[in-house]
Amino acid sequence: QVQLVESGGGLVQAGGSLRLSCAASGSIGSLNAMGWYRQVPGKQRELVTSIMRGARANYAESVKGRFTISRDNAKNTVYLQMNSLKPEDTAVYYCAASQYYSVNDYRAVDYWGQGTQVTVSS
């Protein structure tokens, strides 16, 4: 069983940057895919970005060019670097992982983190 713990959330002004971390209890190299979702009250949880075992990444159009996902297998940690933040990026961000499949559909996610709050002020 894989445990995921997010950290790095907080309050930042529009245009600023924030770096989120997702630490796994086991080897992330054994996971086929990892990624980040976000959710705001009253809205469906949406995929922000994901990265496959081979390090191929995809991004939601709303964050493309501003966010970057990366992984450090030695530290069993996945990061989300967020630049040029906008108020609409405000949400709870969740780390997600799939043992055998993609995380692009929430129904395929095997493991979820507890979430970390990101708030972007105008």
Side-chain angles (χ1 to χ4, degrees):
Q1 187 74 20
V2 175
Q3 307 293 322
L4 305 176
V5 180
E6 304 102 331
S7 63
L11 176 64
V12 65
Q13 292 184 343
S17 298
L18 211 57
R19 183 179 175 88
L20 306 183
S21 298
C22 174
S25 61
S27 174
I28 63 172
S30 68
L31 299 168
N32 190 56
M34 298 191 71
W36 293 88
Y37 278 75
R38 67 185 181 186
Q39 188 170 31
V40 299
K43 298 190 70 175
Q44 189 175 32
R45 189 172 297 187
E46 67 170 348
L47 179 69
V48 177
T49 179
S50 65
I51 187 167
M52 304 296 288
R53 183 175 288 158
R56 183 173 63 254
N58 69 283
Y59 300 89
E61 286 296 323
S62 59
V63 306
K64 192 172 296 183
R66 300 188 297 119
F67 290 11
T68 303
I69 187 172
S70 62
R71 62 196 302 169
D72 187 333
N73 289 346
K75 296 181 178 180
N76 293 318
T77 301
V78 174
Y79 303 96
L80 181 63
Q81 179 66 46
M82 304 184 293
N83 299 325
S84 302
L85 283 162
K86 304 174 180 179
E88 50 263 44
D89 294 319
T90 296
V92 177
Y93 284 71
Y94 298 90
C95 185
S98 177
Q99 184 70 249
Y100 304 109
Y101 309 106
S102 167
V103 297
N104 294 349
D105 188 321
Y106 74 91
R107 293 171 295 180
V109 174
D110 294 312
Y111 311 107
W112 291 99
Q114 291 292 97
T116 185
Q117 177 71 47
V118 172
T119 302
V120 184
S121 62
S122 301

